[in-house]
Amino acid sequence: AQKVTQAQTEISVVEKEDVTLDCVYETRDTTYYLFWYKQPPSGELVFLIRRNSFDEQNEISGRYSWNFQKSTSSFNFTITASQVVDSAVYFCALSDPGGSEKLVFGKGTKLTVNP
Amino acid sequence: DVKVTQSSRYLVKRTGEKVFLECVQDMDHENMFWYRQDPGLGLRLIYFSYDVKMKEKGDIPEGYSVSREKKERFSLILESASTNQTSMYLCASRDSSYNEQFFGPGTRLTVL
């Protein structure tokens, strides 16, 4: 069965600190996609990134970076020089086997960035 | 930009009432989804729809039904609301060519 584990329930940092959010997944499929979403206090989930299982290159977008390692089944997310606006709940998700439409979500990590 | 809208941000209903939650997307996406989000449980899939008039049960369909008469609209129906259906309800849509889902702002439903 598919599963996504975000072991960190809550993280609190001070502004300008770097922070890494962990995501570990389980799947028997060889073709799959991984995602990160951000849910700010307003409630709407915002899509951040999609990564397919054949592309293990790390990705950087501004202060955000993602590290995908198939050997450890992990897809970790790092925010560099965190800001108060980064405060949100972050979800990692995995696509269902066979490329179907369903996503399996982790339970989320609540990040609080204090000024 | 993809726009997914939900009919209400906040809704208060009484036990036993029939409740309709509406979701509309403006990008001609084939796939649409309804999730509920509860503290400590994350997002759980209730129902999804591949296309008009097509629907599939998700992980927690009990107590819910759905309707998709038009491509842009996907409705979630609580036939007889109960207090354990108090939750945040999130709608999403997806283009069949890509895997990411785009979410609406959510409806926080309270059943008294």
Side-chain angles (χ1 to χ4, degrees), chain B residues 11-29:
Chain B
L11 206 54
V12 180
K13 296 292 182 180
R14 297 212 171 269
T15 303
E17 279 192 72
K18 190 169 185 176
V19 181
F20 292 87
L21 303 183
E22 305 284 343
C23 175
V24 177
Q25 50 95 2
D26 67 357
M27 287 302 291
D28 203 36
H29 285 173

Side-chain angles (χ1 to χ4, degrees), chain A residues 37 39 42 50 101 107, chain B residues 9 31 37 50 100-101:
Chain A
Y37 284 85
Q39 187 179 40
S42 60
R50 174 190 67 210
E101 292 79 0
K107 293 185 179 179
Chain B
R9 289 302 301 271
N31 311 141
Q37 182 180 9
Y50 291 101
E100 58 268 31
Q101 296 178 15

Side-chain angles (χ1 to χ4, degrees), chain B residues 36-38 64 84-89 107-110:
Chain B
R36 64 177 282 176
Q37 182 180 9
D38 300 288
Y64 304 94
N84 63 13
Q85 291 178 310
T86 291
S87 187
M88 168 72 97
Y89 290 87
T107 296
R108 189 167 292 282
L109 172 67
T110 302

Side-chain angles (χ1 to χ4, degrees), chain B residues 26-90:
Chain B
D26 67 357
M27 287 302 291
D28 203 36
H29 285 173
E30 290 83 5
N31 311 141
M32 296 186 75
F33 308 80
W34 275 106
Y35 295 88
R36 64 177 282 176
Q37 182 180 9
D38 300 288
L41 297 177
L43 275 78
R44 295 180 291 168
L45 181 64
I46 305 171
Y47 266 97
F48 62 104
S49 170
Y50 291 101
D51 209 333
V52 176
K53 297 192 185 295
M54 298 178 74
K55 60 186 180 184
E56 292 280 341
K57 292 181 179 179
D59 301 315
I60 51 164
E62 297 77 19
Y64 304 94
S65 62
V66 290
S67 172
R68 188 139 181 233
E69 296 296 318
K70 292 185 178 182
K71 194 173 188 179
E72 68 270 18
R73 187 180 298 269
F74 191 35
S75 303
L76 180 69
I77 304 157
L78 288 65
E79 294 288 343
S80 178
S82 63
T83 54
N84 63 13
Q85 291 178 310
T86 291
S87 187
M88 168 72 97
Y89 290 87
L90 292 161

